[in-house]
């Protein structure tokens, strides 16, 4: 999980940018990294905070001798006021595909943002 603080308008732009990118991007490679990502897609899900977007993708990890492992990832980017929280989950178990960020974690962590003072 990560948190970033913005003014409310900019925080909304962050969530919109993730939503737009997930709708347009089929895959990408980490800049300067070994890992690449495929099957990027926004997926329907509950709304957390003021707004949120859920994304699924597959990380392609080199494991040696030209072989790779496909690692399913789930990401939720949620905004409460000017705070953007990013949650992710993945599974490196072979054959697993149905990975998600546990809803109990999302609800518990987002409820903590309810106690922040309102942005002015």
């Amino acid at each position: 999980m990560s948190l970033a603080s913005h003014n409310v308008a900019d925080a909304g732009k962050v969530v919109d940018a993730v939503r737009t990118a997930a709708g347009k991007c089929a895959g990408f490679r980490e800049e300067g990294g070994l890992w690449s990502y495929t099957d990027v897609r926004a997926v329907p899900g509950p709304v957390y905070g003021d707004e949120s977007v859920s994304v699924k993708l597959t990380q392609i990890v080199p494991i040696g001798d030209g072989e790779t492992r496909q690692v399913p990832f789930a990401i939720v980017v949620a905004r409460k006021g000017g705070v953007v929280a990013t949650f992710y989950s993945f599974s490196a178990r072979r054959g697993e595909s149905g990975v998600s960020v546990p809803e109990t974690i999302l609800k518990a962590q987002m409820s903590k943002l309810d106690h922040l003072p309102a942005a002015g």
Side-chain angles (χ1 to χ4, degrees):
M1 182 184 140
S2 68
L3 290 175
S5 179
H6 303 272
N7 65 47
V8 175
D10 287 345
K13 290 176 186 176
V14 169
V15 177
D16 286 341
V18 172
R19 185 179 294 111
T20 299
K24 292 181 177 180
C25 176
F28 61 96
R29 182 174 208 72
E30 274 186 7
E31 187 175 332
L34 297 174
W35 299 337
S36 59
Y37 299 83
T38 62
D39 305 322
V40 179
R41 65 201 180 283
V43 295
V47 175
Y48 299 99
D50 296 328
E51 65 176 322
S52 61
V53 61
S54 298
V55 178
K56 298 261 180 141
L57 51 93
T58 302
Q59 182 184 55
I60 307 301
V61 179
I63 58 173
D65 294 330
E67 290 188 53
T68 60
R69 170 141 330 139
Q70 295 186 359
V71 178
F73 260 79
I75 301 168
V76 176
V77 177
R79 178 185 68 80
K80 177 69 177 177
V83 176
V84 176
T86 304
F87 305 86
Y88 68 92
S89 181
F90 64 92
S91 176
R93 285 184 243 153
R94 287 183 185 250
E96 184 161 347
S97 61
V99 67
S100 63
V101 178
E103 189 162 355
T104 54
I105 291 173
L106 286 162
K107 285 182 176 180
Q109 294 301 317
M110 290 304 294
S111 73
K112 294 177 182 181
L113 298 181
D114 290 337
H115 304 292
L116 294 176

